[in-house]
Amino acid sequence: MDSRDLEARLPEALRPVEPPPGFAARVLRRLDEGRGRKLAMRKWTAMAAMVCLLAAGGWYWRQHRAASRAADQLSLALNISARKLSRVQQGLVVEIKLGRNTNQEDQIR
Amino acid sequence: MAALPSFEQLLLRNQTMVFSIAFHALRNRSLAEELAQEVFLSLHQNLHSLDSEEHVRNWLRRAAANRAIDEIRKLKHRKGPSLVDVAEPSADAKLADPLELDQLRRMVAALPPLARMLTILRFQEDLQPMEIAEQLSMPVATVKSKLHRTLRLLRGKMTRPSLVERKGA
């Protein structure tokens, strides 16, 4: 085979080859499968996001409830303390007043 | 500008071209089909960036050529025939045309990856060196010199007397 022969034979040797029967259908099926997988993936992602959101909401609600309970308890404790202090203060005032009166009576005498 | 045909039409019109590039490069029908399917799935993802049928055809040719080169390189790491392994055509084979063509195909399939793809694009797709250079993003001079060297290599292989003939002499 000479050089011109080779260049003439190459296109013949490399002539286009038909793909196996059903090739296009297989490509389209893979495309559909891919679309189905993508849809399923989206569905799972949305569900996972929903679960995460619910878990985060639950956690936040529990934290919020604990904080509000602590605030209520603190407020109650402060109220009780304030009432006690007020009572003590009233007692002291009475005692001071009584003390002053006794002193005055002593001076009059 | 004419509207781009549907993906299905593009698939039907170009499946032979893409499959042929893969088949001549890999010499294996199932590997070639797998590669051609991947090329079309990739086209489907990139269809929005292509605006004409000619553009799609060029895109497919480039994608098939590049993927085939990658696949040949991967296969080469396993075990593939080199040009040295391919038997030279005997005197009898020169008379039998189909055998000679098959021998020629085997020799092309045993070329190094880039040389193989250049030969396929030049002689299967009938592209000029300038067009091949554009397809593979290479300088034209490199394409021309590589093609020249490849043809010389094939010619040498075709004209050299076979081992059997030499042993017989």
Side-chain angles (χ1 to χ4, degrees), chain B residues 45-59:
Chain B
Q45 287 179 338
N46 291 284
L47 205 53
H48 61 274
S49 62
L50 306 169
D51 48 23
S52 69
E53 202 168 346
E54 190 53 37
H55 199 177
V56 168
R57 201 169 166 76
N58 281 335
W59 189 96

Side-chain angles (χ1 to χ4, degrees), chain B residues 21-22 25-26 35 63-73 113 117:
Chain B
I21 290 176
L26 303 171
L35 191 146
N66 287 326
R67 276 174 191 255
I69 290 173
D70 290 345
E71 192 62 32
I72 297 165
R73 285 182 179 145
M117 193 44 64

Side-chain angles (χ1 to χ4, degrees), chain A residues 1 3 6-7 9-20 23-24 26-28 30-31 35, chain B residues 11 15-16 19-20 24 29 33-34 36-38 41 44 97 100-101 104-105 123-124 151 155 158-159:
Chain A
M1 184 186 285
S3 65
L6 175 71
E7 286 184 44
R9 290 288 168 89
L10 274 169
E12 206 181 331
L14 299 176
R15 64 176 177 269
V17 183
E18 286 297 323
F23 171 79
R26 283 191 289 280
V27 173
L28 293 173
R30 274 185 72 175
L31 208 60
R35 272 191 208 130
Chain B
L11 169 62
Q15 57 178 351
T16 304
F19 180 78
S20 299
H24 287 310
R29 284 185 87 81
E33 170 160 357
E34 180 65 25
Q37 284 191 11
E38 293 292 335
L41 293 178
H44 188 264
D97 209 34
E100 190 188 88
L101 289 180
L104 196 50
R105 275 182 218 118
F123 295 100
Q124 180 202 300
L151 287 177
R155 215 169 281 140
M158 294 297 284
T159 51

